[in-house]
Amino acid sequence: MNAEIPHPPLAAGWVTALAALAETLGTDRFPGALRQILSQCCSFDSMIISRYEGALPPVSLYQACRNGCTPGAYRLMDLAPEAFYRSEYYRAFYRKISISDEIGVLVQDRAERWVIVSLARFARRQRFEAADTARLNAVFQVISAAVRRQWGQAETAAEGVQKPDWEDRMQTFGTGVLSPREREVVQLVLQGHSTPSAAAYLGIAEGTVKVHRHHAYSKLGIASQAELFSMATRHLAGAG
């Protein structure tokens, strides 16, 4: 059994959003698809993408990237220094844009080059929770690969570059471990189907779906749907 702490479950439909992300790589529709897949992890009001090249403007928020921060998703409270709310930047700009909280998704393209996807909630909205960054980090490897392909060092060669075969790769999840029926059930779970929906789709009893799902989880060494999403994401990213 994997001792890794399971991530909170992602919203149903994230696999469909992931397919859309892959389809829009190298086009001007990519930002919209990126926003859609990130919204499967947490709700937010605005999304801003910035690229930072070494010490050149714009200077990285909170200097997190240049201070050796590990790539991933972080809340404002995780990155901002204690003096942030007393800084001139906060008084002159940040306080006036009516943002209640912010998450930064830090993608490293190379040693001194970063792409930051900033997700913000407007004033009077609840602040982001640790579960929000946990869901984003559960899919970070896939998001990072897509962002680097779209805006990273290889962006000038985007045309004609083979797009990630994420849909095909997802179809191979569980191959060699699960039976064909167990793989069908797992694929439906990953697509957001409930037990009754999966049963109707496959033309089998709900109890049979539960049995297949139980056997699949046992063979994969997991105990929850959250762990299934995490394992499937690592498979998509080529890490498992």
Side-chain angles (χ1 to χ4, degrees):
M1 177 77 66
N2 193 333
E4 178 182 334
I5 298 174
H7 297 288
L10 299 168
W14 78 276
V15 173
T16 301
L18 180 61
L21 189 71
E23 286 296 321
T24 60
L25 269 170
T27 74
D28 58 6
R29 294 182 291 118
F30 180 83
L34 177 63
R35 183 184 181 110
Q36 179 62 32
I37 197 168
L38 293 176
S39 69
Q40 302 291 316
C41 301
C42 65
S43 65
F44 53 89
D45 298 310
S46 73
M47 181 182 80
I48 298 175
I49 294 96
S50 304
R51 189 169 63 199
Y52 302 96
E53 182 79 37
L56 297 177
V59 178
S60 176
L61 243 100
Y62 325 130
Q63 294 294 314
C65 300
R66 292 182 58 79
N67 287 341
C69 189
T70 303
Y74 298 88
R75 290 175 293 170
L76 173 63
M77 63 181 295
D78 298 325
L79 296 179
E82 292 182 5
F84 172 71
Y85 294 101
R86 300 192 301 273
S87 68
E88 180 62 27
Y89 172 76
Y90 176 78
R91 291 193 299 270
F93 174 72
Y94 202 90
R95 184 176 61 181
K96 298 179 180 180
I97 58 177
S98 300
I99 289 179
S100 69
D101 203 6
E102 186 176 0
I103 282 180
V105 182
L106 280 53
V107 176
Q108 187 171 21
D109 183 36
R110 59 178 188 246
E112 287 293 314
R113 183 170 179 166
W114 294 73
V115 178
I116 313 299
V117 181
S118 175
L119 310 177
R121 285 179 177 172
F122 295 152
R124 293 185 293 279
R125 283 204 61 189
Q126 181 180 351
R127 288 177 177 269
F128 289 108
E129 299 177 349
D132 295 316
T133 53
R135 280 187 290 267
L136 288 165
N137 281 316
V139 299
F140 177 75
Q141 289 180 311
V142 172
I143 297 301
S144 176
V147 167
R148 283 186 283 110
R149 180 65 62 87
Q150 181 75 9
W151 291 305
Q153 186 176 14
E155 69 191 49
T156 54
E159 282 192 39
V161 174
Q162 185 175 0
K163 298 176 181 178
D165 56 345
W166 286 335
E167 288 185 271
D168 292 339
R169 189 168 179 79
M170 177 55 74
Q171 294 303 315
T172 67
F173 180 66
T175 300
V177 178
L178 307 179
S179 71
R181 181 61 87 183
E182 289 164 354
R183 288 183 57 238
E184 286 182 318
V185 169
V186 163
Q187 291 290 333
L188 291 174
V189 171
L190 290 171
Q191 292 169 27
H193 284 267
S194 63
T195 297
S197 175
Y201 185 89
L202 296 173
I204 58 179
E206 292 182 25
T208 305
V209 170
K210 292 179 180 179
V211 169
H212 286 310
R213 188 177 63 203
H214 175 77
H215 288 165
Y217 283 14
S218 178
K219 290 179 180 179
L220 293 171
I222 59 177
S224 69
Q225 183 172 319
E227 289 179 288
L228 176 65
F229 279 124
S230 180
M231 180 175 284
T233 299
R234 291 197 301 273
H235 177 76
L236 283 171

